[in-house]
Amino acid sequence: GAKWVHIAYEFARYVMIEDMKKFSVGTCIPFAEAVTLRPEDMYIAKARHRVGYNKLLQVLQNEDIVIQEYQKKAQ
């Protein structure tokens, strides 16, 4: 029910934040801290969303490139 969805969301959010912290080490990108804060207004919330979304997209694209290179080498 609703409690399970909330728990799953909180867990996924926690895992995402920990991954962002791990990938942001040494990059001077404070997006992991921005994700953990609560929004004061919608403009800041939307900006944080864009930062998180763009970083997640970069991570997924890099992962896809690595997988494609691995598949090419495997052939």
Side-chain angles (χ1 to χ4, degrees):
K3 287 183 181 181
W4 170 249
V5 171
H6 181 69
I7 290 171
Y9 168 77
E10 289 296 325
F11 178 71
R13 185 173 186 267
Y14 171 78
V15 170
M16 179 188 72
I17 291 171
E18 292 301 314
D19 280 347
M20 286 183 186
K21 287 180 183 177
K22 182 176 73 173
F23 289 124
S24 70
V25 172
T27 60
C28 299
I29 301 173
F31 65 88
E33 291 80 16
V35 171
T36 59
L37 299 175
R38 297 292 178 199
E40 295 176 7
D41 63 4
M42 286 307 295
Y43 177 77
I44 293 173
K46 288 179 183 179
R48 288 182 186 150
H49 173 265
R50 283 191 305 272
V51 170
Y53 178 82
N54 289 337
K55 187 60 181 174
L56 177 62
L57 185 59
Q58 287 176 350
V59 169
L60 293 175
Q61 287 173 338
N62 288 339
E63 185 177 333
D64 186 50
I65 289 170
V66 169
I67 291 171
Q68 287 178 3
E69 288 177 3
Y70 179 75
Q71 289 175 345
K72 286 180 185 177
K73 289 179 182 180
Q75 289 178 351

